[in-house]
Amino acid sequence: MKIVKMPKASMANKSTLAMWKKKEGDSVEKGEPIFEIETGKATVTARSPYKGILSKILVKNGYSAKIGDPVAYIEEEL
């Protein structure tokens, strides 16, 4: 299982996860957009660092997380 972490999207230490583009159980490709981050000035698209199945979302839409905090898990496809 791989951990997806909140990327650095601005100079702030914390960002808001605006919207998931995938749901639990969906297949994801490395580099594919999986969620959007709201910063004070813009909305930034975060891309998957891994290929696999989005198995668990830890940070729901509208909630904040610090840079580097886990936001989801991706499991390797068998």
Side-chain angles (χ1 to χ4, degrees):
M1 183 175 338
K2 305 284 187 177
I3 299 171
V4 178
K5 297 179 180 180
M6 178 64 85
K8 183 172 179 129
S10 70
M11 296 302 290
N13 187 36
K14 200 177 206 184
S15 295
T16 300
L17 198 150
M19 181 182 73
W20 281 96
K21 294 181 167 281
K22 295 286 185 172
K23 63 184 185 302
E24 289 180 2
D26 285 351
S27 291
V28 293
E29 295 292 325
K30 184 175 181 178
E32 180 178 16
I34 55 170
F35 62 91
E36 292 181 351
I37 304 163
E38 283 182 1
T39 68
K41 298 181 181 184
T43 300
V44 178
T45 300
R47 299 184 179 277
S48 177
Y50 312 107
K51 177 181 177 176
I53 304 292
L54 182 60
S55 60
K56 180 71 177 167
I57 292 174
L58 303 173
V59 178
K60 305 292 184 201
N61 292 343
Y63 286 86
S64 296
K66 291 181 183 176
I67 308 288
D69 279 355
V71 296
Y73 294 120
I74 293 179
E75 291 188 34
E76 293 181 41
E77 292 181 283
L78 300 176

